[in-house]
């Protein structure tokens, strides 16, 4: 199942500003493994993960048509 | 009965003008149950970092998520404090040093609620809203802002 | 070396206009070491007391003593918090319900100092400045305001 | 020694808005006794006393040419 990945802040320096499609990822761990292979600079960067705008922790199953966002530390205000 | 407040857009392109703040204050003169207003304004600082001066911060956000989160924060603040009203505005795009990028405005009958709600809202905005800032230096190089 | 800040006049006849507040904010855009502004505004409430509605508060002060006291408060706040600047304005005369009668404005590099200094200054103004308010009702009767 | 007395707030309902001169008062206790005789409504009113803009407590000697202010509870802001 394809997953759309969007990134923000300093992660755009690595992955750009356009959504990246990963063709098949069963869960967030699988997804991050694939992204780390494609973008080695991502490996040690700090970020949290949001699936469909909800922050998730740990191993989260992707059900298809998800949008996964990688969110580096917030800096609003 | 559950009263639903509709998520409001807090984002504005470019800096927040003093005249916009004045209009916002002025609009409260008919709400004669208000005794105190508390306002916080965030202003872009011309920090000097390793010899380079910040001339602007360029803000971006995960807007849809930020608006949902801000709606939750607003509901929580209204549940916790006896506020008459609350207004929040955050800039997107390039904001020059000296310009206003955040405007939080709370009002209540007695001052304590407005003051405490304003402070708590500012802290939550900084900690919880998916917003990023690129600090742009005089030579157009940049670094990503980190909140303390 | 002792630096002396000259006592400033904080009193203004009539209400504090939103445009005055905007001008005051605008003037800080050249102070690019400021990261946060905290503002408190006191607004006259149309309280209903034993069936009568307050239409205005008429403020009077022991002005010379209030200015000396405010100067002391200002010096103490500057000694306690790393502020860039502080501005205080209090109305005298008749202020209608819905109008602004108090404007406290503090600015600092990082937000905490401005927020804490603003709150403490408001509390000290209410507790320590010799200012009185006559709550005037619709029928022109009055009672003397008491701070809680 | 003459003392000028000024009052504010609710005390103006009793003593008016103009300064009142007391011809001879050696200290604040003497002064208040004389004022209480002249303005019986003053007796139970809450106020603090400032001599030449300084708040004083207890029995304060008046040295002449003093301005004594009676200050009811403050209500600024």
């Amino acid at each position: 199942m394809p997953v759309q990945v969007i990134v923000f802040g300093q992660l755009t320096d690595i992955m750009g500003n356009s959504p990246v499609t990963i063709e098949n990822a069963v869960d967030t761990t699988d997804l991050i493994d694939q992204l780390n292979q494609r973008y080695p600079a991502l490996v040690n960067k700090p970020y949290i993960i949001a699936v469909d705008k909800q922050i998730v922790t740990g191993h989260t199953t992707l059900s298809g048509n998800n949008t996964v966002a990688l969110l580096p530390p917030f800096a609003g205000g | 009965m559950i009263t639903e407040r509709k998520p409001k857009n807090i984002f504005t392109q470019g800096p927040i003008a003093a005249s916009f703040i004045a209009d916002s204050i002025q609009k409260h003169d008919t709400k004669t149950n208000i005794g105190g207003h508390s306002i916080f304004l965030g202003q872009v600082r011309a920090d000097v970092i390793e010899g380079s001066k910040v001339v602007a911060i360029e803000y971006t956000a995960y807007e849809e998520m930020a608006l949902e989160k801000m709606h939750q924060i607003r509901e929580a603040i209204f549940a916790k404090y006896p506020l008459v009203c609350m207004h929040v505005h955050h800039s997107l795009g390039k904001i020059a040093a000296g310009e206003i990028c955040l405007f939080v405005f709370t009002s209540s009958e007695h001052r304590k609620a407005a003051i405490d709600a304003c402070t708590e809202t500012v802290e939550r905005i900084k900690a919880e809203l998916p917003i990023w800032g690129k600090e742009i230096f005089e030579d157009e190089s940049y670094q990503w802002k980190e909140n303390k």
Side-chain angles (χ1 to χ4, degrees), chain A, chain B:
Chain A
M1 275 167 296
V3 180
Q4 290 267 92
V5 180
I6 53 177
V7 300
F8 297 91
Q10 42 274 62
L11 301 185
T12 61
D13 290 348
I14 299 167
M15 289 178 57
N17 286 295
S18 303
V20 167
T21 303
I22 296 292
E23 285 311 326
N24 197 15
V26 294
D27 56 35
T28 50
T29 307
D30 180 17
L31 179 74
I32 298 302
D33 284 345
Q34 294 189 48
L35 288 172
N36 282 344
Q37 287 200 334
R38 208 150 129 185
Y39 305 96
L42 201 60
V43 175
N44 290 312
K45 289 289 179 293
Y47 58 82
I48 57 173
I49 299 171
V51 176
D52 300 330
K53 294 179 271 174
Q54 299 301 315
I55 291 167
V56 298
T57 49
H59 193 90
T60 301
T61 303
L62 297 171
S63 55
N65 286 319
N66 300 109
T67 297
V68 174
L70 308 189
L71 312 174
F74 304 158
Chain B
M1 203 181 82
I2 296 164
T3 56
E4 280 288 325
R5 267 178 274 267
K6 201 166 149 269
K8 291 185 193 175
N9 184 21
I10 64 166
F11 292 112
T12 187
Q13 279 294 327
I16 295 160
S19 58
F20 177 85
I21 297 165
D23 288 348
S24 191
I25 293 167
Q26 186 64 55
K27 279 179 190 156
H28 291 74
D29 68 351
T30 54
K31 296 192 177 180
T32 57
N33 57 333
I34 292 172
H37 303 287
S38 186
I39 292 173
F40 178 81
L41 303 174
Q43 182 167 302
V44 173
R45 278 197 316 273
D47 281 350
V48 175
I49 299 165
E50 293 174 16
S52 294
K53 194 161 88 175
V54 173
V55 293
I57 296 179
E58 188 175 354
Y59 284 102
T60 49
Y62 186 2
E63 293 187 48
E64 306 90 313
M65 184 177 163
L67 296 183
E68 281 187 14
K69 191 73 204 171
M70 187 65 229
H71 182 66
Q72 292 166 17
I73 294 171
R74 186 188 301 274
E75 294 289 301
I77 295 286
F78 268 92
K80 184 169 175 183
Y81 299 101
L83 291 187
V84 176
C85 49
M86 171 197 276
H87 307 279
V88 172
H89 300 275
H90 196 297
S91 293
L92 293 180
K94 203 186 271 192
I95 313 304
E99 292 183 325
I100 305 288
C101 58
L102 173 62
F103 172 30
V104 178
F105 184 9
T106 54
S107 308
S108 55
E109 187 178 353
H110 299 287
R111 68 187 176 283
K112 192 167 174 10
I115 292 169
D116 292 349
C118 187
T119 303
E120 187 167 329
T121 302
V122 170
E123 296 305 319
R124 292 195 64 176
I125 285 169
K126 290 188 172 251
E128 298 177 40
L129 294 196
I131 300 173
W132 297 273
K134 195 188 237 185
E135 293 175 320
I136 300 169
F137 299 105
E138 287 164 305
D139 63 358
E140 293 179 27
S141 67
Y142 66 87
Q143 74 169 25
W144 292 93
K145 176 175 177 266
E146 285 181 28
N147 276 358
K148 288 180 192 168

